[in-house]
Structure formats: C-alpha cells, structure tokens
C-alpha cells in the first residue's frame, strides 16, 4: 500500500482537546478513513499548531482527499513517500 504525507494548514490553529472528546474526534476520523481503505499512521504538528504533516497509508491520493473532505479537514498537498533509513547504509 502506498504511503503519503498530507500537509494541512489550520489558520486558527489545530485545537484537539486532550480528553475523551479529543479521543472521540480522532477515532471518528480513523473510522471514517477505514471506509476508503485509508489508515492514519500519525501526524506531526508545528509548535504554533497551524500546520500538520500527517502520514497515511492509502490506495491512492484521491482516497485521502475524499476522506479529508468527509472529515472536514483541509489538504494543501499530498506527496507519495518512501522510507529512507540512515541505518540501512551501515
């Protein structure tokens, strides 16, 4: 399955509470993604919380876009990526 980095901008910042409501929000995204065969691996958030870089496994970029739209999440860019492991060369 291809892996993608999804870049997103949140002009007002991304605010997910660290409580049961925040957990429910994230699990709702995970459940919605599964319908398209999309798996959210993890995300990186900038310190000002205005940008995220999310790692996904998905059949194609359009599946990521469809799930983002259903989850009301912005998409700035989707890039297919592969792992470069520095220890591979040791």
């Amino acid at each position: 399955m291809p892996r993608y980095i999804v870049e997103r901008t949140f002009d007002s910042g991304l605010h997910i509470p660290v409580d049961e409501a925040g957990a429910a929000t994230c699990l709702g995204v995970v459940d919605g993604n599964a319908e398209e065969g999309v798996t959210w691996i993890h995300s990186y958030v900038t310190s000002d919380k205005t940008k995220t870089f999310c790692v996904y496994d998905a059949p194609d970029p359009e599946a990521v876009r469809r799930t983002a739209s259903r989850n009301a999440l912005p998409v700035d860019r989707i890039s297919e990526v592969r792992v470069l492991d520095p220890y591979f060369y040791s």
Side-chain angles (χ1 to χ4, degrees):
M1 173 100 39
R3 180 156 286 182
Y4 300 94
I5 298 287
V6 179
E7 298 177 41
R8 307 179 195 282
T9 301
F10 297 89
D11 292 329
S12 300
L14 176 65
H15 301 284
I16 300 174
V18 183
D19 60 15
E20 289 182 23
T25 297
C26 290
L27 290 176
V29 169
V30 168
D31 289 344
N33 290 351
E35 296 172 14
E36 292 276 349
V38 174
T39 303
W40 176 21
I41 306 300
H42 60 261
S43 296
Y44 299 95
V45 183
T46 59
S47 59
D48 65 1
K49 299 183 180 180
T50 60
K51 297 270 305 170
T52 63
F53 302 87
C54 306
V55 181
Y56 284 90
D57 288 341
D60 54 54
E62 283 63 42
V64 175
R65 285 187 195 284
R66 285 191 300 272
T67 59
S69 178
R70 280 201 307 264
N71 290 316
L73 292 169
V75 173
D76 297 339
R77 181 186 328 201
I78 300 174
S79 301
E80 187 171 349
V81 296
R82 290 186 172 66
V83 172
L84 172 61
D85 184 343
Y87 302 103
F88 173 80
Y89 298 101
S90 300

